[in-house]
Amino acid sequence: MSVVLGHILEALLIKDSDNVVVEGLYQSIYLVHMPFYFILSGWLFKGGQPSIKYLIKKSKHLLVPYIAWLIIFNSKAIAGFFSNLIKGDLAGEKAIFYKEHFFSQIYGGMEVHGFEMILWFPMCLFFTQQLANFILVKMNKNLIILVVVLSYILAFVNQYVLPEFHLPLALNIVCGALPLFFIGFFIKKYPLQLYQVWILVVLCLLASVVLFVDNFHLTYHMRSAQYGMPIISTFAALGGFYIVLFVSNYISQSKRIFKVLQYLGKSSMTIMYLHALILIDIYLLLIIGVLIPTLIHLILGRVNWLSKLFLGENKLPRN
């Protein structure tokens, strides 16, 4: 929901950049929401697994739906390409157009825009998971720490020294995502004391206030390899991660609310793929941008082959 709201706020800021309330909400969300996904992925990771088995498992879960949605998004261009090919009218500007279009779709990352802009995330998550699993299987703890620190440094080199450097399928963003993944993995394995957690939470809140008042660049815009300020933004994002955990734990105590919201959680990847097709720039679309993809997710989840193709999972069990 925060991703959907973040994109709505971004659209509002393009129209009215002087709205301080929208700016404050936008910057606060972007301090937390994308790092949250990678920290959570590490938090839920069970530990090093056989590489081939893990590759196949995550390919079904992330790669197959990615390719399926990419084909759906490009169905008009694909139909136009074959129509022109059959007519023998695929030359000149048309040939250049299709060449550039399909190249950008295959390249991914920063080469795709509009409602496809979120496509950087599933590929970045996939490669981050695979690299993390490989590291945990092949390396000892000290070497893991060294690799993670090096990855963190390279991420900020990308941000400050080579801001225009972007690899296919957002591979360069793996440098920024990998440390977040291992933070999630290690804080689950070695839990923090409650006072340490609250220090992080307070830091997150203070960072948001400082950002709002003095406009420091603390936010994460991971698609464009922007990770805020070294150390400070990372700890603030971790504090935000715990805030979400606290809120989620509180919400889950209400069975009625939990019963509704659990479907949003299960539908999160479908919401990610489809919400930008629906959004324009009004707050009402936060609800529409979440509920319509959730409904589509539930429909797809009832048909096994559709569930495997677009959701990367077997169909949802019936109650």
Side-chain angles (χ1 to χ4, degrees), residues 202-287:
V202 171
L203 179 61
C204 177
L205 295 174
L206 288 176
S208 298
V209 172
V210 169
L211 178 74
F212 182 71
V213 174
D214 293 324
N215 201 30
F216 283 101
H217 181 72
L218 297 179
T219 52
Y220 279 81
H221 291 269
M222 295 187 70
R223 178 174 178 266
S224 55
Q226 297 295 310
Y227 310 107
M229 294 182 67
I231 308 300
I232 295 176
S233 291
T234 306
F235 276 100
L238 181 56
F241 173 79
Y242 278 107
I243 290 174
V244 176
L245 289 191
F246 293 151
V247 172
S248 299
N249 183 60
Y250 178 77
I251 290 174
S252 69
Q253 295 174 19
S254 171
K255 292 183 178 180
R256 290 183 179 179
I257 297 176
F258 175 76
K259 191 172 183 180
V260 174
L261 292 184
Q262 67 173 331
Y263 289 108
L264 300 184
K266 290 177 180 179
S267 306
S268 60
M269 290 295 281
T270 310
I271 294 171
M272 181 202 68
Y273 278 115
L274 293 178
H275 75 276
L277 277 168
I278 301 165
L279 299 180
I280 304 175
D281 63 356
I282 58 175
Y283 289 103
L284 178 62
L285 290 180
L286 171 62
I287 299 173

Coordinates of all heavy atoms in Angstrom, one line a residue, residues 202-287:
V202 N 13.5 5.6 16.8 CA 13.6 7.0 17.1 C 14.5 7.6 16.0 O 14.2 8.7 15.5 CB 14.2 7.2 18.5 CG1 14.5 8.7 18.7 CG2 13.2 6.8 19.5
L203 N 15.6 7.0 15.6 CA 16.4 7.5 14.6 C 15.7 7.6 13.3 O 15.8 8.6 12.5 CB 17.6 6.5 14.4 CG 18.6 6.9 13.3 CD1 19.2 8.3 13.6 CD2 19.7 5.9 13.1
C204 N 14.8 6.7 12.9 CA 14.0 6.7 11.7 C 13.1 8.0 11.8 O 13.0 8.7 10.8 CB 13.2 5.5 11.6 SG 12.1 5.5 10.1
L205 N 12.4 8.2 12.9 CA 11.5 9.3 13.0 C 12.3 10.6 13.0 O 11.8 11.6 12.3 CB 10.8 9.2 14.3 CG 9.8 8.0 14.5 CD1 9.2 7.9 15.9 CD2 8.7 8.1 13.4
L206 N 13.4 10.7 13.6 CA 14.2 11.9 13.6 C 14.7 12.2 12.2 O 14.7 13.4 11.7 CB 15.4 11.8 14.6 CG 15.1 11.9 16.1 CD1 16.4 11.7 16.9 CD2 14.5 13.2 16.4
A207 N 15.2 11.2 11.5 CA 15.6 11.3 10.1 C 14.5 11.9 9.2 O 14.8 12.8 8.4 CB 16.1 10.0 9.6
S208 N 13.3 11.4 9.4 CA 12.2 11.9 8.7 C 11.9 13.4 9.0 O 11.7 14.2 8.0 CB 10.9 11.1 9.0 OG 11.1 9.8 8.6
V209 N 12.0 13.8 10.2 CA 11.8 15.2 10.6 C 12.9 16.1 10.0 O 12.6 17.1 9.5 CB 11.7 15.3 12.2 CG1 11.7 16.8 12.6 CG2 10.5 14.6 12.7
V210 N 14.1 15.6 10.2 CA 15.3 16.4 9.7 C 15.1 16.6 8.1 O 15.3 17.7 7.6 CB 16.6 15.7 10.0 CG1 17.8 16.4 9.2 CG2 16.9 15.8 11.5
L211 N 14.8 15.5 7.5 CA 14.6 15.5 6.0 C 13.5 16.5 5.7 O 13.6 17.3 4.7 CB 14.2 14.2 5.5 CG 13.9 14.1 4.0 CD1 15.2 14.2 3.2 CD2 13.2 12.8 3.7
F212 N 12.4 16.5 6.4 CA 11.2 17.4 6.1 C 11.6 18.8 6.4 O 11.2 19.7 5.6 CB 10.1 16.9 7.0 CG 8.8 17.7 6.8 CD1 8.1 17.6 5.6 CD2 8.4 18.7 7.7 CE1 6.9 18.3 5.4 CE2 7.2 19.4 7.5 CZ 6.5 19.2 6.3
V213 N 12.3 19.1 7.4 CA 12.7 20.5 7.8 C 13.8 21.1 6.9 O 13.7 22.2 6.4 CB 13.0 20.6 9.3 CG1 13.5 22.0 9.6 CG2 11.8 20.2 10.1
D214 N 14.9 20.3 6.8 CA 16.1 20.8 6.1 C 16.3 20.3 4.7 O 17.3 20.6 4.1 CB 17.3 20.6 7.0 CG 17.3 21.4 8.3 OD1 16.8 22.5 8.3 OD2 17.7 20.9 9.3
N215 N 15.5 19.4 4.3 CA 15.5 18.8 2.9 C 16.9 18.1 2.6 O 17.4 18.3 1.6 CB 15.3 19.9 1.9 CG 14.9 19.3 0.6 OD1 14.3 18.3 0.5 ND2 15.2 20.0 -0.5
F216 N 17.4 17.4 3.6 CA 18.6 16.5 3.4 C 18.2 15.4 2.5 O 17.0 14.9 2.6 CB 19.1 16.0 4.7 CG 20.0 17.0 5.4 CD1 19.4 17.7 6.5 CD2 21.2 17.3 5.1 CE1 20.1 18.6 7.2 CE2 22.0 18.3 5.8 CZ 21.4 18.9 6.8
H217 N 19.1 14.9 1.7 CA 18.8 13.7 0.8 C 19.0 12.4 1.6 O 20.1 11.9 1.7 CB 19.7 13.8 -0.4 CG 19.5 12.6 -1.3 ND1 18.3 12.6 -2.1 CD2 20.2 11.5 -1.6 CE1 18.4 11.5 -2.8 NE2 19.5 10.8 -2.5
L218 N 18.0 12.0 2.3 CA 18.1 10.7 3.0 C 17.3 9.6 2.4 O 17.4 8.4 2.8 CB 17.5 11.0 4.5 CG 18.3 12.0 5.3 CD1 17.6 12.1 6.7 CD2 19.7 11.6 5.5
T219 N 16.4 9.9 1.5 CA 15.5 8.9 1.0 C 16.2 7.9 0.0 O 17.1 8.2 -0.7 CB 14.3 9.5 0.3 OG1 14.8 10.5 -0.7 CG2 13.5 10.3 1.3
Y220 N 15.6 6.7 -0.1 CA 16.0 5.7 -1.1 C 15.1 5.8 -2.3 O 13.9 5.8 -2.3 CB 15.7 4.3 -0.5 CG 16.8 3.8 0.5 CD1 16.8 4.2 1.8 CD2 17.7 2.9 0.0 CE1 17.7 3.7 2.7 CE2 18.7 2.4 0.9 CZ 18.7 2.8 2.2 OH 19.7 2.3 3.1
H221 N 15.8 6.0 -3.5 CA 15.2 5.8 -4.8 C 16.0 4.7 -5.5 O 16.9 5.0 -6.3 CB 15.2 7.1 -5.6 CG 14.3 8.2 -5.0 ND1 13.0 8.4 -5.4 CD2 14.5 9.1 -4.0 CE1 12.5 9.3 -4.7 NE2 13.4 9.8 -3.8
M222 N 15.7 3.5 -5.1 CA 16.6 2.4 -5.5 C 16.7 2.2 -7.0 O 17.7 1.8 -7.5 CB 16.3 1.1 -4.7 CG 16.5 1.3 -3.2 SD 16.2 -0.2 -2.3 CE 17.7 -1.2 -2.8
R223 N 15.6 2.4 -7.7 CA 15.6 2.2 -9.1 C 16.7 3.0 -9.8 O 17.3 2.5 -10.8 CB 14.2 2.5 -9.7 CG 14.1 2.4 -11.2 CD 12.7 2.6 -11.7 NE 12.6 2.5 -13.1 CZ 12.6 3.6 -13.9 NH1 12.8 4.8 -13.4 NH2 12.5 3.4 -15.2
S224 N 16.9 4.2 -9.3 CA 17.9 5.0 -9.9 C 19.2 5.0 -9.1 O 20.1 5.9 -9.3 CB 17.4 6.5 -10.0 OG 17.0 7.0 -8.8
A225 N 19.4 4.0 -8.3 CA 20.6 3.8 -7.5 C 20.9 4.9 -6.6 O 22.0 5.4 -6.4 CB 21.8 3.5 -8.4
Q226 N 19.9 5.4 -5.9 CA 20.0 6.5 -4.9 C 19.6 5.9 -3.6 O 18.5 5.4 -3.3 CB 19.1 7.6 -5.2 CG 19.4 8.3 -6.6 CD 20.7 9.0 -6.5 OE1 21.1 9.8 -5.6 NE2 21.5 8.8 -7.6
Y227 N 20.6 5.9 -2.6 CA 20.4 5.2 -1.3 C 20.5 6.2 -0.2 O 20.8 5.8 1.0 CB 21.5 4.1 -1.2 CG 21.6 3.2 -2.4 CD1 22.7 3.3 -3.3 CD2 20.6 2.3 -2.7 CE1 22.7 2.5 -4.4 CE2 20.7 1.5 -3.8 CZ 21.7 1.6 -4.6 OH 21.8 0.7 -5.7
G228 N 20.3 7.5 -0.4 CA 20.3 8.4 0.7 C 21.7 8.7 1.2 O 22.7 8.7 0.4
M229 N 21.8 8.9 2.5 CA 23.1 9.2 3.1 C 23.7 7.9 3.7 O 23.0 7.1 4.3 CB 23.0 10.2 4.2 CG 22.6 11.6 3.7 SD 22.5 12.8 5.1 CE 24.2 12.9 5.6
P230 N 25.0 7.6 3.5 CA 25.6 6.4 4.0 C 25.3 6.3 5.5 O 25.4 7.3 6.3 CB 27.1 6.5 3.7 CG 27.1 7.5 2.5 CD 26.0 8.4 2.7
I231 N 25.1 5.1 6.0 CA 24.9 4.7 7.4 C 23.6 5.3 7.9 O 22.7 4.5 8.4 CB 26.1 5.2 8.3 CG1 27.4 4.7 7.7 CG2 25.9 4.7 9.7 CD1 27.5 3.2 7.6
I232 N 23.4 6.6 7.9 CA 22.2 7.3 8.5 C 20.9 6.8 7.9 O 20.0 6.3 8.5 CB 22.3 8.8 8.4 CG1 23.5 9.3 9.2 CG2 21.0 9.4 8.9 CD1 23.8 10.8 9.1
S233 N 20.9 6.8 6.5 CA 19.7 6.3 5.8 C 19.4 4.9 6.1 O 18.3 4.4 6.2 CB 19.8 6.6 4.3 OG 19.7 8.0 4.1
T234 N 20.5 4.1 6.1 CA 20.3 2.6 6.3 C 19.8 2.3 7.7 O 18.8 1.5 7.8 CB 21.7 1.9 6.2 OG1 22.3 2.3 4.9 CG2 21.6 0.4 6.3
F235 N 20.3 3.0 8.7 CA 19.8 2.8 10.1 C 18.3 3.3 10.2 O 17.5 2.7 10.9 CB 20.7 3.4 11.1 CG 21.8 2.6 11.5 CD1 23.1 2.8 11.0 CD2 21.7 1.5 12.4 CE1 24.2 2.0 11.4 CE2 22.7 0.7 12.8 CZ 24.0 1.0 12.3
A236 N 18.1 4.4 9.6 CA 16.7 5.0 9.6 C 15.7 4.0 8.9 O 14.6 3.8 9.4 CB 16.7 6.3 8.9
A237 N 16.2 3.4 7.8 CA 15.3 2.4 7.1 C 15.0 1.2 8.0 O 13.9 0.7 8.0 CB 15.9 2.0 5.8
L238 N 16.1 0.8 8.7 CA 15.9 -0.3 9.6 C 14.9 0.0 10.7 O 14.1 -0.8 11.1 CB 17.3 -0.8 10.2 CG 17.3 -2.0 11.1 CD1 16.6 -3.2 10.5 CD2 18.7 -2.3 11.6
G239 N 15.0 1.3 11.2 CA 14.1 1.7 12.2 C 12.6 1.7 11.7 O 11.7 1.3 12.3
G240 N 12.5 2.1 10.4 CA 11.2 2.0 9.7 C 10.7 0.6 9.6 O 9.5 0.3 9.7
F241 N 11.6 -0.3 9.4 CA 11.3 -1.7 9.3 C 10.6 -2.2 10.6 O 9.6 -2.9 10.5 CB 12.5 -2.5 9.0 CG 12.3 -4.0 9.0 CD1 11.8 -4.7 7.9 CD2 12.7 -4.8 10.1 CE1 11.6 -6.1 7.9 CE2 12.5 -6.2 10.1 CZ 12.0 -6.8 9.0
Y242 N 11.2 -1.8 11.7 CA 10.6 -2.2 13.0 C 9.3 -1.5 13.2 O 8.4 -2.1 13.8 CB 11.6 -2.0 14.1 CG 12.7 -3.0 14.2 CD1 14.0 -2.8 13.8 CD2 12.3 -4.3 14.7 CE1 14.9 -3.8 14.0 CE2 13.3 -5.3 14.9 CZ 14.6 -5.0 14.5 OH 15.5 -6.0 14.6
I243 N 9.1 -0.3 12.8 CA 7.9 0.4 13.0 C 6.8 -0.4 12.2 O 5.7 -0.6 12.8 CB 7.9 1.8 12.4 CG1 8.8 2.7 13.3 CG2 6.5 2.4 12.3 CD1 9.1 4.1 12.8
V244 N 7.0 -0.8 11.0 CA 6.1 -1.6 10.3 C 5.8 -2.9 11.0 O 4.6 -3.4 11.0 CB 6.6 -1.9 8.8 CG1 5.6 -2.8 8.1 CG2 6.7 -0.6 8.1
L245 N 6.8 -3.6 11.5 CA 6.6 -4.8 12.3 C 5.7 -4.6 13.5 O 4.8 -5.4 13.7 CB 7.9 -5.4 12.7 CG 8.8 -6.0 11.7 CD1 9.9 -6.8 12.4 CD2 8.1 -7.0 10.7
F246 N 5.9 -3.5 14.2 CA 5.1 -3.2 15.4 C 3.6 -3.0 15.0 O 2.7 -3.5 15.6 CB 5.6 -1.9 16.1 CG 6.9 -2.1 16.7 CD1 7.8 -1.0 16.9 CD2 7.4 -3.4 17.2 CE1 9.0 -1.2 17.5 CE2 8.6 -3.5 17.8 CZ 9.4 -2.5 17.9
V247 N 3.4 -2.2 13.9 CA 2.1 -1.9 13.4 C 1.4 -3.1 13.0 O 0.2 -3.4 13.3 CB 2.1 -0.8 12.3 CG1 0.7 -0.6 11.7 CG2 2.6 0.5 12.8
S248 N 2.1 -3.9 12.2 CA 1.6 -5.2 11.7 C 1.2 -6.1 12.8 O 0.1 -6.8 12.8 CB 2.6 -5.9 10.8 OG 2.9 -5.1 9.7
N249 N 2.0 -6.2 13.8 CA 1.7 -7.1 15.0 C 0.5 -6.6 15.7 O -0.4 -7.4 16.1 CB 2.9 -7.1 15.9 CG 2.7 -8.0 17.1 OD1 2.5 -9.2 16.9 ND2 2.7 -7.5 18.3
Y250 N 0.3 -5.3 15.8 CA -0.9 -4.7 16.5 C -2.1 -5.0 15.6 O -3.2 -5.4 16.2 CB -0.7 -3.2 16.6 CG -1.9 -2.5 17.3 CD1 -2.1 -2.6 18.6 CD2 -2.8 -1.8 16.5 CE1 -3.2 -2.0 19.2 CE2 -3.9 -1.2 17.0 CZ -4.1 -1.3 18.4 OH -5.2 -0.7 18.9
I251 N -2.0 -4.8 14.3 CA -3.2 -5.1 13.4 C -3.6 -6.5 13.5 O -4.8 -6.9 13.5 CB -2.8 -4.7 12.0 CG1 -2.7 -3.1 11.9 CG2 -3.9 -5.2 11.0 CD1 -2.3 -2.6 10.6
S252 N -2.6 -7.4 13.5 CA -2.9 -8.9 13.5 C -3.7 -9.4 14.7 O -4.2 -10.5 14.7 CB -1.6 -9.7 13.3 OG -0.8 -9.6 14.5
Q253 N -3.7 -8.6 15.7 CA -4.4 -9.0 16.9 C -5.9 -8.9 16.7 O -6.7 -9.4 17.5 CB -4.0 -8.1 18.1 CG -2.5 -8.3 18.5 CD -2.1 -7.4 19.6 OE1 -2.9 -6.8 20.3 NE2 -0.8 -7.3 19.7
S254 N -6.4 -8.1 15.7 CA -7.8 -8.0 15.4 C -8.0 -9.0 14.3 O -7.6 -8.8 13.1 CB -8.1 -6.6 14.9 OG -9.4 -6.6 14.4
K255 N -8.8 -10.1 14.6 CA -9.0 -11.1 13.6 C -9.7 -10.7 12.4 O -9.5 -11.1 11.2 CB -9.8 -12.3 14.2 CG -9.0 -13.0 15.3 CD -9.7 -14.2 15.9 CE -8.9 -15.0 16.9 NZ -9.6 -16.1 17.5
R256 N -10.7 -9.7 12.5 CA -11.5 -9.3 11.4 C -10.6 -8.4 10.5 O -10.7 -8.6 9.2 CB -12.7 -8.4 11.9 CG -13.7 -9.2 12.6 CD -14.9 -8.3 13.1 NE -15.9 -9.1 13.7 CZ -17.1 -8.6 14.2 NH1 -17.3 -7.3 14.1 NH2 -18.0 -9.3 14.8
I257 N -9.8 -7.5 11.0 CA -9.0 -6.7 10.2 C -7.9 -7.6 9.5 O -7.6 -7.4 8.3 CB -8.3 -5.6 11.0 CG1 -9.3 -4.6 11.6 CG2 -7.3 -4.8 10.1 CD1 -8.8 -3.6 12.5
F258 N -7.3 -8.5 10.3 CA -6.3 -9.4 9.7 C -6.9 -10.2 8.6 O -6.2 -10.4 7.6 CB -5.8 -10.3 10.9 CG -4.8 -11.3 10.4 CD1 -3.5 -11.0 10.1 CD2 -5.2 -12.7 10.2 CE1 -2.6 -11.9 9.6 CE2 -4.3 -13.6 9.7 CZ -3.0 -13.2 9.5
K259 N -8.1 -10.7 8.7 CA -8.7 -11.6 7.7 C -8.8 -10.8 6.4 O -8.6 -11.4 5.3 CB -10.1 -12.0 8.1 CG -10.6 -13.1 7.3 CD -11.9 -13.7 7.9 CE -12.5 -14.8 7.0 NZ -13.7 -15.4 7.6
V260 N -9.0 -9.5 6.4 CA -9.1 -8.7 5.2 C -7.7 -8.4 4.7 O -7.4 -8.6 3.5 CB -9.9 -7.4 5.4 CG1 -9.8 -6.5 4.2 CG2 -11.3 -7.7 5.8
L261 N -6.9 -7.9 5.5 CA -5.5 -7.4 5.1 C -4.6 -8.5 4.7 O -3.7 -8.3 3.9 CB -4.9 -6.6 6.2 CG -5.6 -5.2 6.5 CD1 -4.8 -4.5 7.6 CD2 -5.7 -4.4 5.3
Q262 N -4.8 -9.7 5.1 CA -3.9 -10.8 4.7 C -4.0 -11.1 3.2 O -3.0 -11.4 2.6 CB -4.3 -12.1 5.5 CG -5.6 -12.7 5.1 CD -5.8 -14.1 5.8 OE1 -4.9 -14.8 6.0 NE2 -7.1 -14.4 6.1
Y263 N -5.2 -10.8 2.6 CA -5.3 -10.9 1.2 C -4.5 -9.9 0.4 O -4.0 -10.1 -0.7 CB -6.8 -10.9 0.8 CG -7.6 -12.1 1.2 CD1 -8.5 -12.0 2.2 CD2 -7.4 -13.3 0.6 CE1 -9.2 -13.1 2.6 CE2 -8.1 -14.4 0.9 CZ -9.0 -14.3 2.0 OH -9.7 -15.5 2.4
L264 N -4.4 -8.7 1.0 CA -3.5 -7.7 0.4 C -2.1 -8.1 0.5 O -1.3 -7.9 -0.5 CB -3.7 -6.3 1.1 CG -5.1 -5.7 1.2 CD1 -5.1 -4.4 1.8 CD2 -5.7 -5.6 -0.2
G265 N -1.7 -8.7 1.6 CA -0.3 -9.2 1.7 C 0.0 -10.3 0.7 O 1.0 -10.3 0.0
K266 N -0.9 -11.2 0.5 CA -0.7 -12.3 -0.4 C -0.7 -11.8 -1.9 O -0.1 -12.4 -2.7 CB -1.9 -13.3 -0.3 CG -1.8 -14.1 1.0 CD -3.0 -15.1 1.1 CE -2.9 -15.9 2.4 NZ -4.1 -16.8 2.6
S267 N -1.4 -10.6 -2.1 CA -1.5 -10.1 -3.4 C -0.4 -9.1 -3.7 O -0.5 -8.4 -4.8 CB -2.9 -9.5 -3.6 OG -3.9 -10.4 -3.3
S268 N 0.6 -8.9 -2.9 CA 1.5 -7.8 -3.0 C 2.2 -7.7 -4.3 O 2.4 -6.6 -4.9 CB 2.5 -7.8 -1.8 OG 3.2 -9.0 -1.9
M269 N 2.6 -8.9 -4.9 CA 3.4 -8.8 -6.1 C 2.4 -8.5 -7.3 O 2.8 -7.8 -8.2 CB 4.0 -10.2 -6.4 CG 5.2 -10.5 -5.5 SD 6.6 -9.4 -5.7 CE 7.4 -10.0 -7.1
T270 N 1.2 -8.9 -7.3 CA 0.2 -8.6 -8.3 C -0.1 -7.1 -8.2 O -0.2 -6.4 -9.3 CB -1.1 -9.4 -8.2 OG1 -0.7 -10.8 -8.1 CG2 -2.0 -9.2 -9.4
I271 N -0.2 -6.6 -7.0 CA -0.4 -5.1 -6.8 C 0.7 -4.4 -7.4 O 0.6 -3.3 -8.1 CB -0.6 -4.8 -5.4 CG1 -1.9 -5.4 -4.8 CG2 -0.6 -3.3 -5.1 CD1 -2.1 -5.3 -3.3
M272 N 2.0 -4.9 -7.2 CA 3.2 -4.2 -7.7 C 3.1 -4.1 -9.2 O 3.4 -3.1 -9.8 CB 4.4 -4.9 -7.2 CG 5.7 -4.3 -7.7 SD 7.1 -5.5 -7.7 CE 6.6 -6.6 -9.0
Y273 N 2.8 -5.2 -9.9 CA 2.8 -5.2 -11.3 C 1.7 -4.3 -11.9 O 1.9 -3.7 -13.0 CB 2.6 -6.7 -11.8 CG 3.9 -7.5 -11.8 CD1 4.0 -8.6 -11.0 CD2 4.9 -7.2 -12.7 CE1 5.2 -9.4 -11.0 CE2 6.1 -7.9 -12.7 CZ 6.2 -9.0 -11.9 OH 7.3 -9.8 -11.9
L274 N 0.5 -4.3 -11.3 CA -0.6 -3.7 -12.0 C -1.0 -2.3 -11.5 O -1.7 -1.6 -12.2 CB -1.8 -4.6 -11.8 CG -1.8 -5.9 -12.5 CD1 -3.0 -6.8 -12.2 CD2 -1.6 -5.7 -14.0
H275 N -0.5 -1.8 -10.3 CA -1.1 -0.6 -9.8 C -0.8 0.6 -10.6 O -1.7 1.5 -10.7 CB -0.6 -0.4 -8.3 CG 0.8 0.1 -8.3 ND1 1.9 -0.7 -8.3 CD2 1.3 1.4 -8.1 CE1 3.0 0.0 -8.2 NE2 2.7 1.2 -8.1
A276 N 0.3 0.7 -11.3 CA 0.7 1.9 -12.0 C -0.2 2.0 -13.3 O -0.2 3.1 -13.9 CB 2.2 1.9 -12.4
L277 N -0.8 0.9 -13.7 CA -1.7 1.0 -14.9 C -3.0 1.7 -14.5 O -3.7 2.3 -15.4 CB -2.1 -0.5 -15.3 CG -1.1 -1.2 -16.3 CD1 -1.5 -2.7 -16.3 CD2 -1.1 -0.6 -17.6
I278 N -3.3 1.8 -13.2 CA -4.6 2.3 -12.7 C -4.4 3.7 -12.2 O -5.3 4.5 -12.4 CB -5.1 1.4 -11.6 CG1 -5.3 0.0 -12.2 CG2 -6.4 1.9 -11.1 CD1 -5.5 -1.1 -11.1
L279 N -3.3 4.0 -11.6 CA -3.1 5.3 -10.9 C -3.0 6.5 -11.8 O -2.5 6.4 -12.9 CB -1.8 5.2 -10.1 CG -1.8 4.1 -9.0 CD1 -0.5 4.2 -8.2 CD2 -3.0 4.3 -8.0
I280 N -3.6 7.6 -11.4 CA -3.4 8.9 -12.0 C -2.8 9.8 -11.0 O -1.6 9.9 -11.0 CB -4.7 9.4 -12.6 CG1 -5.4 8.4 -13.6 CG2 -4.5 10.7 -13.3 CD1 -6.7 8.8 -14.1
D281 N -3.6 10.4 -10.2 CA -3.0 11.3 -9.2 C -4.0 11.7 -8.1 O -3.8 12.8 -7.5 CB -2.5 12.6 -9.9 CG -3.6 13.4 -10.5 OD1 -4.7 13.0 -10.5 OD2 -3.3 14.5 -11.0
I282 N -5.0 10.9 -7.8 CA -5.9 11.3 -6.7 C -5.8 10.2 -5.6 O -5.6 9.0 -5.9 CB -7.3 11.5 -7.2 CG1 -7.9 10.3 -7.9 CG2 -7.4 12.7 -8.1 CD1 -9.3 10.4 -8.3
Y283 N -6.1 10.6 -4.4 CA -5.9 9.7 -3.3 C -6.9 8.5 -3.3 O -6.6 7.4 -2.8 CB -6.2 10.5 -1.9 CG -5.0 11.4 -1.6 CD1 -5.1 12.8 -1.8 CD2 -3.8 10.9 -1.1 CE1 -4.1 13.6 -1.5 CE2 -2.8 11.8 -0.8 CZ -2.9 13.1 -1.0 OH -1.9 14.0 -0.7
L284 N -8.1 8.7 -3.9 CA -9.1 7.7 -4.0 C -8.5 6.5 -4.7 O -8.8 5.3 -4.5 CB -10.3 8.2 -4.8 CG -11.4 7.1 -5.0 CD1 -12.0 6.6 -3.7 CD2 -12.6 7.7 -5.8
L285 N -7.5 6.7 -5.7 CA -6.9 5.7 -6.4 C -6.0 4.8 -5.6 O -5.6 3.7 -6.0 CB -6.2 6.2 -7.6 CG -7.1 6.8 -8.7 CD1 -6.3 7.4 -9.9 CD2 -8.1 5.8 -9.2
L286 N -5.7 5.2 -4.4 CA -4.9 4.4 -3.5 C -5.7 3.1 -3.2 O -5.2 2.0 -3.3 CB -4.6 5.1 -2.2 CG -4.0 4.2 -1.0 CD1 -2.7 3.6 -1.5 CD2 -3.9 5.0 0.2
I287 N -7.0 3.3 -3.0 CA -7.9 2.1 -2.7 C -8.1 1.3 -4.0 O -7.9 0.1 -4.0 CB -9.3 2.6 -2.2 CG1 -9.1 3.4 -0.9 CG2 -10.2 1.5 -2.0 CD1 -10.4 4.1 -0.4

